[in-house]
Amino acid sequence: MPAIVIHQANDLRLEDHPAPPPGAGEVQVRITRGGICGSDLHYVSHGGFGSVRLAEPMILGHEVVGTVALCGPGVTGVTPGDAVAINPALPCGTCRFCRADQSNHCLDMRFFGSAMRRPHVQGAFRSEITVNFRQLVPLPQGLDPARAVFAEPLAVALHAVKRAGVRPGDRVIIAGMGPIGALILLAARYAGATTIVATDIAAEPLALARTLGADQAIKPDGLSLFTEDRGYFNIGFEASGAAAAPGALLGVVEPRGRIIQVGLGGDLPISSMSLVAKEIDICGAFRFTHEFDHAVTLLGAGAIDVAPLLTAVFPVVQASAAFALAADRSRAMKVQISF
Ligand code: ZN
């Protein structure tokens, strides 16, 4: 029952972690596919990010799909054999943010493979896992695991697009073409954005942005084309985590435009003059709420085609090779692991 466990930076191990039998309201799921996320890579390379640090061994992974194996008493909605996506978020359901339909701000959130809590919430890169049945979303007929496992990062992108309020006719700039930036591109187009320009410092992600339908995909220094008349775009997404990116977006987003910060990094230096004089709204976007279910539906309907993002699939026994490839932006967008 191999699980992918991070002990400390650069100490990734395969260990046996059998899942406990399901109790009331629980389901044991055989994991079929997992997607490696930037946060998984941070744990492997640096032992964490920002103030979030590994204090004990942790099973990685929060982008997973699988097949229902066993159902405990009181489970509804799924039966053994069903293919399911697993929502990695388990909010408490009773705190003031959960009651206000803002479960991504839950005061007692349990999120797979996260060192934000102690003890850490163990992740889902493992052959089998026992979860609360409310975390399961049955896969629509015909949605294969390779595409279904994009539900979690797509939910992040859908939430960012919702925070932006993208509408038909909007002119959108996206800084950073990692998997989240690329999925924001697809989600913004689905929401009706007319013009989408993508930026990245590397050539390979820009080539993918063109494949995904970006109107232009350029290096950040090309943004000077869009600063005339106080800026061209009405919405900017910051998905790179680079410290200089929000300042660059302030230069090309027009007065009363909106910038959505999705990328995580350190402190962000921005010009108060630009922010004030252009009356720019800057807001954050963190994880997702109902967008997870919506993402599964959209993927099942073929409304958003994530296939171009998939770089490679590795068996779990080659987890180290999978993580090494995923960390190389010149060769990889999304790397998956099969269990
Ligand atoms: Zn809560």
Side-chain angles (χ1 to χ4, degrees):
M1 299 299 159
I4 301 172
V5 185
I6 184 74
H7 282 249
Q8 55 186 331
N10 301 306
D11 184 3
L12 194 66
R13 305 182 197 176
L14 283 180
E15 296 173 356
D16 279 347
H17 280 267
E26 289 184 332
V27 175
Q28 193 181 95
V29 180
R30 274 194 302 274
I31 301 295
T32 51
R33 189 65 66 94
I36 297 175
C37 168
S39 66
D40 299 318
L41 292 168
H42 276 289
Y43 288 120
V44 173
S45 302
H46 310 296
F49 45 90
S51 61
V52 180
R53 294 281 140 191
L54 283 171
E56 59 189 340
M58 182 177 79
I59 301 173
L60 289 171
H62 57 272
E63 302 175 8
V64 289
V65 296
T67 306
V68 171
L70 295 167
C71 293
V75 169
T76 58
V78 293
T79 54
D82 286 353
V84 290
I86 307 179
N87 187 330
L90 182 61
C92 76
T94 57
C95 74
R96 67 186 174 103
F97 296 106
C98 284
R99 283 184 277 121
D101 207 19
Q102 297 175 13
S103 62
N104 56 330
H105 301 296
C106 174
L107 296 172
D108 194 24
M109 173 65 86
R110 290 166 192 279
F111 198 96
F112 286 163
S114 169
M116 284 186 184
R117 295 177 70 115
R118 296 190 186 182
H120 303 334
V121 182
Q122 297 294 314
F125 283 169
R126 52 202 294 178
S127 303
E128 57 184 36
I129 190 169
T130 298
V131 301
N132 188 301
F133 81 101
R134 291 181 294 151
Q135 291 175 266
L136 302 181
V137 181
L139 298 190
Q141 200 77 37
L143 179 57
D144 58 80
R147 287 179 297 143
V149 78
F150 279 92
E152 198 275 345
L154 179 57
V156 173
L158 291 169
H159 186 69
V161 165
K162 185 178 178 188
R163 292 281 289 150
V166 175
R167 289 197 227 166
D170 280 347
R171 298 176 306 283
V172 170
I173 172 86
I174 307 168
M177 276 292 117
I180 295 296
L183 289 166
I184 287 173
L185 194 166
L186 295 173
R189 186 69 86 194
Y190 179 75
T194 305
T195 302
I196 302 179
V197 175
T199 71
D200 200 284
I201 56 172
E204 295 82 4
L206 293 176
L208 179 76
R210 292 183 196 103
T211 301
L212 296 177
D215 295 284
Q216 290 188 56
I218 56 178
K219 299 274 178 78
D221 55 13
L223 281 176
S224 54
L225 294 170
F226 299 99
T227 54
E228 272 182 34
D229 297 335
R230 309 198 75 198
Y232 176 77
F233 305 96
N234 64 318
I235 294 177
F237 291 96
E238 203 306 286
S240 73
L249 292 179
L250 270 177
V252 297
V253 170
E254 67 185 9
R256 302 236 173 139
R258 180 168 260 216
I259 296 173
I260 314 300
Q261 180 73 33
V262 190
L264 282 169
D267 293 340
L268 305 171
I270 56 169
S271 155
S272 59
M273 186 64 206
S274 297
L275 178 67
V276 171
K278 293 175 81 173
E279 298 190 310
I280 301 290
D281 292 332
I282 296 185
C283 69
F286 181 60
R287 292 178 179 164
F288 48 83
T289 58
H290 304 290
E291 291 89 354
F292 187 85
D293 298 56
H294 190 205
V296 174
T297 301
L298 291 175
L299 290 168
I304 289 183
D305 180 15
V306 293
L309 275 73
L310 176 56
T311 305
V313 185
F314 288 80
V316 63
V317 293
Q318 294 176 25
S320 291
F323 276 82
L325 177 60
D328 184 349
R329 295 197 72 221
S330 70
R331 292 192 297 144
M333 180 58 67
K334 182 60 80 176
V335 176
Q336 296 180 353
I337 297 170
S338 63
F339 290 85

